[in-house]
Amino acid sequence: MGGGRAQVNKAHKTRFASKASRHAHKIDKVRSGKPETSHRAAVKGARAARIQQSKAIRDKKRAALLKEKRSSIGSHGAPRVIVLVGLSSSANVGSLAKDLLTFAEGGDGRLRSSTVASPTYKLRTTVLQAPYGDLTSCMELAKVADLLAFVLPANSLYSSDSSSPIDEFGSQCLSIFRAMGLPSTAVFIRDLPADNKSRQELKKAAASFLSAELPEDCKIYLADTKDDLHKFMWLFKEQHLSSPHWRNQRPYVMSEQVCIKPDDNTGLCTLLVSGYLRAHNLSVNQLVHVSGAGDFQLGQIDVLKDPYPLSERKSSDVMETEDNGIQIVNTFVPDSSNQEPLLVENVPDPLAGEQTWPTEEDMEEANINNKERKLVKRKLPRGTSEYQAAWIVDDTDDEDNDSDNDNQAGSGMVIDEQDHADQGSDGSDIDAVSHFTEKFDEETVGDTEMADEENLTKEQIEAEIKKIKEANAEDEEFPDEVETPLDVPAKKRFAQYRGLKSFRTSSWDPKESLPSEYARIFAFDNFTRTQKHVLAKMAELDGGTKDCALVGSYVRLYVTNVPTDIASKLCHPSRRIPVVVSGLLQHESKMSVLHFSIKKHDSYEAPIKSKEPLIFNVGFRQFIARPLFSSDNINCNKHKMERFLHHGRFSVASVYAPICFPPLPLIVLKNRDGEQPAIAAVGSLKSVDPDRIILKKIVLTGYPQRVSKLKAIVRYMFHNPEDVKWFKPVELWTKHGRRGRIKETVGTHGAMKCIFNSSIQQHDTVCMSLFKRAYPKWPEQLYQV
């Protein structure tokens, strides 16, 4: 048969194979220099490289965590701050604070300070009490808390008086703390029964109730007996504490002691603040912010001997000892060449816009241009640039010969030479335009404050509040609609407004006709790049020790040129919260236009007007601002102004304020007569951009009198023919979706014939949209201390 021959199968067809695979047998593997296992070796090498890289990243994170743990727990770290907050009026915060400090100190019960060093636990702790009912103080203490501990009495969990153990003030505090960014949290349950079964049941009840209010990693402790406190201290020592990101970007000092050193200058002094330096190293050349008081320079930094050491060892590096026993370890004095200047406002040069003397060529070119422009003259409102006049066009209507004659007599927003001469050259018409515009803004925007309440009766104040509420409701129902005045020409009242063909695509120059306040602010060429460089500079300070106090050291800051009346308020014995001095990043003392994403708080029901004075809490800063509210259009560079901050939606609040670098939380408070400030809104810092265009929109409305297919006679939008001719170039629209334009005037009472793109109905409303750029209002007083 076949004998010993091997079976040979038919080979696969090669018409679907690649050209390289078909000719692979022709290539000498030795000459190609490509080993057979090259692909496998490459894969194996890449896998080894990935494993090595992952191990390096893991080791780096482990080393950073170990360094942070040693610095926060050991003798070189600042004491851990525990802030006790009562969630109801029945919570006894004072007794718990005393028990914690006494137990941690392990002494005879005589407390000399709110900071104790415990050799037993090898831990230094600062325990502070948040005063119940004082919303501002609770908020300031939460900014510096390493552990935010909520105190809950056990009797409130099974009390039949209320369905919730958290009262209204406790709920308000929780909402503020969540908006600011919560640090590590804990819950202490006090006044527990004696039997162990009831204690555990109450602990479970508290956990189930507070699970929706607090983070998942929030720990619940029983805090009645010494065993309970002992268990807490051991767990607290080993706990990894988290803090908000915005607080980790800036160095800060929470005062242990504050005093005043008078200066020779009248009304100024040096404020001496002693405390532990936290988060970052602090350079003596940096600017600092004193919470509620303002930005200042440092005159000196003294590094002092730690007043609360864990082990009493004699320090050999003490430089000198003062008369009161305070030992100075090191002293830093600012360098005049490297110290950051305290710039708040830009000082404009009134001659910056002046030009040099023109040459003969410039004069000849100007004469030629003037001869060409003598054919048609335009009169524009005061402050209107050539760019603003771009929508003032010479419009003609080919459909009607009468309208051509009207156009020659000054139709549209063009006034010929004769009308210009009739107005006179004494400037009275310009003054009238300014007067009517300001009066109109007061009536429509609501940017004027309520009259002085000292001169108003109770009935007048209630009437003013009722008027504001009615305006808020009307703005929600009929946004932007205004009535044309009967006694004043519309072209004067709305002289600063212009029409836009398209709100999204029409151009608007952000540099034109800027207010005088823009000469006092600073702007960035590239804000993102500047922020990156500023944060890199702060990282360099942490790496070096030249002219820098190290984080964790006990320092005394000499804050210079502080007004004496402000410093006396900060040092007053009745002050229940410590003074916080935070280091500022570069440029953070300069004024600019800041934009915040903001939402009205659910508990605040009163209307909030644009340009109304509000208290802004941004990080460690607290200042007074008068925000301008606007919408946030993602696909457009223009944003519509909002007269009120409405419920249930986010808006953008634009203010004149010192520059801040995001991310930063925002808490907005509103002052109330004889009461604590109420939380009005919450949000976060969005950007710093003076070129953001905010347009105030008004809508003039008219009603069809007679309708004939595409044409209609519209009345009550204007009250004289001159206004109809002035606003003729602006496009019309109706509430039923029609688009149209003004064709001609009808009669002598402001009626006009209009043409639309589709049939119009008798019950429709004809509208005209006009726009004007709006700006926030400069605050009279930036800080309220």
Side-chain angles (χ1 to χ4, degrees):
M1 301 284 291
R5 292 194 309 171
Q7 180 180 355
V8 178
N9 296 324
K10 184 178 180 180
H12 290 287
K13 294 181 179 180
T14 58
R15 64 192 182 95
F16 298 110
S18 65
K19 185 181 293 185
S21 62
R22 290 199 302 267
H23 296 282
H25 64 284
K26 299 179 181 179
I27 302 174
D28 188 1
K29 294 180 180 179
V30 177
R31 284 191 296 110
S32 63
K34 203 171 184 179
E36 295 181 3
T37 59
S38 61
H39 177 68
R40 183 177 297 177
V43 171
K44 186 176 180 181
R47 182 173 178 272
R50 288 198 305 270
I51 293 175
Q52 188 70 19
Q53 186 179 10
S54 300
K55 184 178 180 300
I57 294 174
R58 190 165 57 251
D59 292 343
K60 185 178 180 181
K61 288 183 178 179
R62 185 183 290 113
L65 186 62
L66 186 61
K67 180 181 178 181
E68 180 186 356
K69 185 177 181 181
R70 286 174 177 172
S71 63
S72 61
I73 296 178
S75 59
H76 298 289
R80 292 188 163 192
V81 180
I82 303 175
V83 175
L84 302 177
V85 181
L87 293 178
S88 64
S89 57
S90 59
N92 192 350
V93 178
S95 63
L96 177 59
K98 185 177 179 181
D99 292 346
L100 278 173
L101 289 172
T102 304
F103 184 78
E105 188 179 29
D108 53 358
R110 294 183 179 180
L111 299 175
R112 294 176 294 273
S113 173
S114 60
T115 301
V116 295
S118 176
T120 305
Y121 302 101
K122 296 182 180 180
L123 181 69
R124 293 186 293 181
T125 311
T126 299
V127 181
L128 301 175
Q129 307 174 37
Y132 181 84
D134 192 347
L135 190 64
T136 306
S137 299
C138 292
M139 186 168 54
E140 292 298 320
L141 288 174
K143 293 178 182 179
V144 296
D146 294 321
L147 180 70
L148 199 58
F150 300 99
V151 183
L152 195 66
N155 54 8
S156 64
L157 293 171
Y158 54 82
S159 176
S160 59
D161 298 338
S162 62
S163 59
S164 172
I166 303 177
D167 59 8
E168 182 181 357
F169 180 76
S171 300
Q172 204 170 23
C173 286
L174 282 173
S175 65
I176 288 183
F177 298 157
R178 284 194 295 266
M180 288 171 47
L182 283 171
S184 298
T185 56
V187 176
F188 288 119
I189 304 178
R190 297 277 287 180
D191 305 328
L192 292 163
D195 58 306
N196 190 34
K197 182 178 179 181
S198 300
R199 289 160 59 93
Q200 295 301 323
E201 287 179 354
L202 288 174
K203 184 176 179 181
K204 290 181 180 179
S208 63
F209 180 80
L210 295 174
S211 60
E213 301 288 339
L214 296 174
E216 295 180 359
D217 58 348
C218 177
K219 300 182 182 298
I220 299 178
Y221 300 96
L222 307 179
D224 266 344
T225 63
K226 288 187 177 181
D227 292 338
D228 296 336
L229 297 179
H230 175 72
K231 180 180 179 181
F232 163 72
M233 291 300 294
W234 274 113
L235 293 175
F236 178 59
K237 173 191 173 183
E238 299 297 331
Q239 183 179 359
H240 172 67
L241 299 178
S242 60
S243 58
H245 178 66
W246 63 267
R247 199 173 73 186
N248 293 333
Q249 286 188 330
R250 297 161 180 83
Y252 66 97
V253 173
M254 186 185 69
S255 67
E256 299 280 346
Q257 185 179 1
V258 183
C259 58
I260 298 176
K261 180 181 178 182
D263 290 347
D264 297 335
N265 297 332
T266 307
L268 298 177
C269 66
T270 300
L271 186 68
L272 276 61
V273 181
S274 302
Y276 289 94
L277 180 59
R278 306 170 191 269
H280 288 281
N281 295 346
L282 178 64
S283 172
V284 71
N285 297 318
Q286 269 184 273
L287 297 177
V288 294
H289 174 78
V290 181
S291 293
D295 304 333
F296 303 97
Q297 287 181 322
L298 289 175
Q300 183 178 324
I301 296 180
D302 290 339
V303 180
L304 307 179
K305 182 184 177 183
D306 197 337
Y308 306 103
L310 287 176
S311 58
E312 293 290 342
R313 290 185 298 178
K314 293 184 179 180
S315 300
S316 59
D317 54 352
V318 174
M319 293 177 56
E320 57 178 305
T321 303
E322 296 183 351
D323 297 337
N324 53 5
I326 297 177
Q327 298 179 349
I328 300 176
V329 178
N330 200 355
T331 300
F332 300 102
V333 180
D335 184 4
S336 59
S337 59
N338 295 328
Q339 189 175 22
E340 189 170 349
L342 183 59
L343 291 177
V344 179
E345 297 181 12
N346 185 28
V347 180
D349 184 6
L351 301 178
E354 294 294 329
Q355 298 180 348
T356 57
W357 190 260
T359 61
E360 295 182 358
E361 291 79 5
D362 295 336
M363 296 291 289
E364 292 178 0
E365 184 179 357
N367 292 331
I368 296 173
N369 292 336
N370 288 335
K371 290 179 181 179
E372 294 178 355
R373 291 178 181 176
K374 280 183 179 180
L375 299 177
V376 178
K377 287 189 176 181
R378 296 178 177 181
K379 178 188 175 300
L380 304 177
R382 187 176 66 172
T384 307
S385 65
E386 287 295 329
Y387 174 81
Q388 275 181 307
W391 68 292
I392 307 175
V393 295
D394 297 330
D395 191 17
T396 58
D397 194 348
D398 297 331
E399 298 180 7
D400 201 325
N401 294 330
D402 295 338
S403 60
D404 289 339
N405 298 330
D406 293 339
N407 284 330
Q408 294 174 2
S411 178
M413 301 187 75
V414 180
I415 300 179
D416 60 6
E417 188 174 0
Q418 182 179 356
D419 289 340
H420 182 73
D422 293 338
Q423 293 292 338
S425 58
D426 55 353
S428 59
D429 184 64
I430 296 178
D431 295 336
V433 169
S434 176
H435 169 73
F436 290 134
T437 304
E438 292 175 1
K439 184 179 178 182
F440 171 72
D441 287 341
E442 292 176 3
E443 294 176 357
T444 57
V445 181
D447 59 355
T448 55
E449 293 186 63
M450 188 183 296
D452 191 4
E453 296 182 0
E454 296 180 357
N455 301 328
L456 295 178
T457 62
K458 184 179 180 180
E459 292 77 10
Q460 290 175 328
I461 294 175
E462 292 177 353
E464 191 74 22
I465 295 174
K466 183 179 179 181
K467 181 180 177 182
I468 294 174
K469 289 183 177 180
E470 290 176 355
N472 182 33
E474 185 180 355
D475 183 64
E476 284 191 285
E477 187 175 0
F478 305 105
D480 311 319
E481 291 190 14
V482 298
E483 294 183 1
T484 306
L486 293 171
D487 55 341
V488 180
K491 66 179 183 179
K492 289 185 178 180
R493 174 62 70 89
F494 308 126
Q496 295 184 357
Y497 290 81
R498 73 174 77 167
L500 291 179
K501 182 72 175 177
S502 171
F503 187 85
R504 186 178 66 87
T505 60
S506 297
S507 61
W508 195 298
D509 187 3
K511 303 295 185 183
E512 65 160 315
S513 302
L514 297 176
S516 58
E517 288 82 6
Y518 265 55
R520 303 162 64 180
I521 66 173
F522 295 84
F524 294 100
D525 183 30
N526 189 325
F527 180 74
T528 305
R529 183 177 59 197
T530 303
Q531 182 178 3
K532 183 179 179 181
H533 291 170
V534 167
L535 295 179
K537 189 175 181 180
M538 176 59 66
E540 290 178 4
L541 291 179
D542 292 338
T545 59
K546 183 180 179 181
D547 297 335
C548 290
L550 298 180
V551 60
S553 57
Y554 191 82
V555 298
R556 180 170 58 191
L557 306 180
Y558 291 75
V559 185
T560 59
N561 297 328
V562 181
T564 306
D565 55 342
I566 293 178
S568 59
K569 292 180 182 178
L570 297 175
C571 300
H572 201 273
S574 62
R575 185 178 175 88
R576 296 183 286 181
I577 59 175
V579 178
V580 179
V581 180
S582 58
L584 294 178
L585 303 178
Q586 190 179 10
H587 308 301
E588 282 197 326
S589 67
K590 303 171 183 177
M591 295 289 288
S592 188
V593 182
L594 276 63
H595 307 285
F596 296 89
S597 178
I598 189 173
K599 184 180 181 182
K600 195 172 183 180
H601 198 261
D602 296 335
S603 63
Y604 194 81
E605 298 180 355
I608 303 176
K609 299 186 299 182
S610 278
K611 302 183 182 179
E612 185 178 2
L614 298 171
I615 303 173
F616 275 51
N617 287 269
V618 185
F620 287 114
R621 274 180 161 150
Q622 184 183 95
F623 54 85
I624 299 175
R626 307 184 70 176
L628 180 71
F629 302 124
S630 62
S631 61
D632 189 12
N633 298 329
I634 300 176
N635 60 345
C636 181
N637 63 345
K638 294 178 286 295
H639 309 273
K640 181 178 171 296
M641 173 193 150
E642 296 178 352
R643 294 180 174 86
F644 291 87
L645 183 63
H646 296 297
H647 274 288
R649 65 181 186 221
F650 276 93
S651 298
V652 176
S654 304
V655 298
Y656 291 115
I659 292 171
C660 302
F661 291 100
L664 280 174
L666 169 67
I667 306 294
V668 180
L669 301 179
K670 181 72 171 68
N671 279 325
R672 296 182 295 182
D673 297 333
E675 299 180 17
Q676 286 290 327
I679 174 173
V682 296
S684 60
L685 179 60
K686 182 179 177 66
S687 63
V688 180
D689 184 15
D691 292 339
R692 189 176 190 269
I693 300 174
I694 302 174
L695 298 183
K696 178 192 168 185
K697 177 184 177 182
I698 62 171
V699 177
L700 307 181
T701 56
Y703 305 95
Q705 183 181 12
R706 291 194 299 273
V707 175
S708 176
K709 295 183 180 180
L710 304 183
K711 298 181 180 180
I713 303 297
V714 180
R715 60 178 180 175
Y716 300 140
M717 181 178 289
F718 304 108
H719 302 294
N720 56 74
E722 288 76 15
D723 290 339
V724 176
K725 296 176 183 178
W726 179 266
F727 289 98
K728 187 176 180 180
V730 185
E731 187 181 23
L732 302 176
W733 57 275
T734 71
K735 293 187 176 181
H736 286 184
R738 308 294 188 265
R739 294 280 172 178
R741 59 186 178 86
I742 300 173
K743 183 180 179 182
E744 60 183 354
T745 62
V746 177
T748 60
H749 295 284
M752 54 189 181
K753 182 185 291 186
C754 304
I755 301 177
F756 297 90
N757 61 349
S758 181
S759 298
I760 185 172
Q761 301 178 8
Q762 186 72 45
H763 61 275
D764 204 348
T765 303
V766 181
C767 305
M768 176 185 290
S769 299
L770 299 176
F771 300 90
K772 179 186 76 169
R773 187 171 178 185
Y775 304 91
K777 205 159 189 177
W778 195 274
E780 290 106 6
Q781 181 183 1
L782 194 59
Y783 302 102
Q784 61 178 354
V785 174

